[in-house]
Amino acid sequence: MHRITMIRPDDWHLHLRDGEHMRAVLPDTAKRFARAMVMPNLSRPVTTTEAALAYRERIVSALPPGLAFQPLMTLYLTDNTTADEIRRARQSGMIHAVKYYPAGATTNSDSGVTALVKCETALAAMEECGLPLLVHGEVTFPEVDIFDREKIFIDRMLLPVLQKFPRLRVVFEHITTRDAVRFVMATPARVAATITAHHLLLNRNAMFIGGMRPHHYCMPILKREEDRQALIQAALSGNPKFFLGTDSAPHARGAKEAACGCAGVYTSHAGIELYAEIFGSRDALDKLEGFASLHGPAFYGLPRNQDTITLVKETWDVPKEVPFHEETLVPFRAGGTVGWRLL
Ligand code: NCD
Ligand code: ZN
């Protein structure tokens, strides 16, 4: 197959940043995706309904004319999130989930949760009003090896929460290991997972080919080849528990090429094309629409998109860097090529 037309996809996990940085990256997503679940980890985290609605307004006003993109907002869970705040979020109709970051796990997670048990009131309210919990599924205990963070999270954090809140809906975000794939497959339908393009395309060697590659550094960190193979199987399986979430996370070039560089890979410039590469290379393009356009809305109880996109198997060059407000950012495959193109 050299061409595929499919229902327009959605990105179920995206970092848009704010202000001029957001203006720089938003068109890449809005050209490809109808909707995106917008992460709340701004430098001042989005912890209230009021802040989320104001952020949504800023995104909508920054949209280039003619693009009907819809931002789906999330709330940043803290130790102090109240049941009232959860209910306000639900009633707004604009906030579709609550995001859990373990304190200190990743970019702007300092106000993240120190122990999920402290959030019982919020989690109970979410369970009651049907607002899903999105988890950054890693523990940050200093004694845990960085490559084991996800597995230990499953045992010590996720399982107890699922047991304690039997009706809470959970999305295990950007899963990276075979353990996570197996876990999600074994749980009831209320647990789903997103998978990024970069975790499908790269294993951890990609961080060290010929030298240190800071643009392949992200959280959760890239894993082993056997993990990547498990993710590919899950994405291609047609199982509705798995859907697309790019976790595209733009950082200025200087913030990544640094003595203590930021985590995050920018993929929105090829946000659907990179997935087409993987599905195409495995002769599974017929499974792409489910993964990218159908499973997500089904999980969140949202309508399917009405229009379609067409992708063609044509190679195009990715620039070495692109403008990012007063700096630049280095996109995924910078200076290389992508094998599918959006018509
Ligand atoms: C994200 C960011 O930069 O906001 N970084 C990343 O490596 N994925 C945060 C996150 O999702 O962990
Ligand atoms: Zn993320």
Side-chain angles (χ1 to χ4, degrees):
M1 258 205 308
H2 290 278
R3 168 185 285 255
I4 171 175
T5 295
M6 56 189 264
I7 295 177
R8 185 177 291 278
D10 303 303
D11 183 349
W12 296 100
H13 184 122
L14 176 67
H15 300 272
L16 273 181
R17 314 303 189 208
D18 209 350
E20 291 303 316
H21 292 113
M22 183 233 303
R23 281 178 190 277
V25 295
L26 178 61
D28 279 346
T29 293
K31 276 179 211 159
R32 292 168 173 80
F33 297 99
R35 299 170 286 200
M37 196 65 82
V38 180
M39 292 301 121
N41 65 325
L42 300 183
S43 45
R44 222 178 130 207
V46 180
T47 54
T48 63
T49 302
E50 196 187 352
L53 297 183
Y55 183 28
R56 183 180 177 279
E57 283 308 311
R58 297 198 293 281
I59 298 168
V60 171
S61 345
L63 272 175
L67 293 177
F69 172 76
Q70 278 184 51
L72 308 174
M73 307 313 290
T74 58
L75 221 57
Y76 190 112
L77 185 68
T78 73
D79 290 346
N80 306 314
T81 307
T82 62
D84 274 352
E85 197 58 64
I86 297 296
R87 285 190 281 269
R88 256 196 301 282
R90 185 43 147 183
Q91 276 155 19
S92 76
M94 301 291 183
I95 297 168
H96 296 269
V98 179
K99 180 71 193 278
Y100 160 77
Y101 287 101
T106 187
T107 312
N108 299 330
S109 62
D110 299 345
S111 36
V113 170
T114 50
L116 254 184
V117 288
K118 290 200 189 157
C119 302
E120 277 187 13
T121 344
L123 294 175
M126 286 160 61
E127 182 176 45
E128 187 194 302
C129 70
L131 207 52
L133 174 71
L134 314 185
V135 297
H136 181 112
E138 294 193 290
V139 294
T140 51
F141 313 131
E143 69 276 14
V144 173
D145 189 283
I146 191 166
F147 292 99
D148 299 332
R149 284 176 160 196
E150 194 169 273
K151 182 178 170 38
I152 306 247
F153 173 83
I154 295 172
D155 299 335
R156 291 204 212 156
M157 307 284 227
L158 190 50
L159 261 173
V161 166
L162 291 173
Q163 274 159 9
K164 182 138 203 184
F165 302 96
R167 287 173 299 122
L168 184 67
R169 301 166 61 69
V170 176
V171 183
F172 198 162
E173 297 290 337
H174 42 53
I175 56 168
T176 61
T177 57
R178 191 170 57 182
D179 298 307
V181 168
R182 285 185 180 158
F183 179 80
V184 171
M185 287 192 350
T187 51
R190 69 181 172 115
V191 180
T194 54
I195 308 181
T196 78
H198 47 285
H199 288 100
L200 290 169
L201 288 162
L202 305 177
N203 64 35
R204 63 194 193 176
N205 288 348
M207 285 185 293
F208 307 107
I209 292 174
M212 227 172 62
R213 304 284 181 165
H215 299 289
H216 288 160
Y217 172 61
C218 60
M219 283 298 154
I221 201 153
L222 296 171
K223 300 297 191 308
R224 292 173 174 276
E225 179 61 13
E226 65 207 43
D227 293 307
R228 186 178 83 94
Q229 292 301 330
L231 296 176
I232 294 176
Q233 256 189 21
L236 270 49
S237 66
N239 184 334
K241 283 169 153 279
F242 299 104
F243 40 85
L244 184 156
T246 62
D247 193 18
S248 182
H251 290 277
R253 172 171 214 146
K256 288 197 63 75
E257 298 175 7
C260 186
C262 292
V265 175
Y266 184 73
T267 51
S268 294
H269 62 300
I272 185 65
E273 297 90 324
L274 292 168
Y275 289 97
E277 274 191 7
I278 303 148
F279 282 70
S281 71
R282 302 279 173 131
D283 247 342
L285 281 171
D286 58 320
K287 294 287 198 307
L288 183 59
E289 185 178 61
F291 179 77
S293 315
L294 304 180
H295 302 168
F299 180 86
Y300 283 103
L302 293 168
R304 290 178 178 185
N305 294 319
Q306 295 295 312
D307 64 334
T308 60
I309 60 161
T310 297
L311 295 162
V312 288
K313 194 162 189 263
E314 275 176 25
T315 299
W316 54 278
D317 296 324
V318 179
K320 287 205 166 98
E321 55 185 350
V322 295
F324 190 49
H325 188 28
E326 285 161 344
E327 297 160 279
T328 62
L329 77 79
V330 177
F332 189 75
R333 296 266 174 83
T337 59
V338 170
W340 283 80
R341 197 165 62 77
L342 180 73
L343 268 197

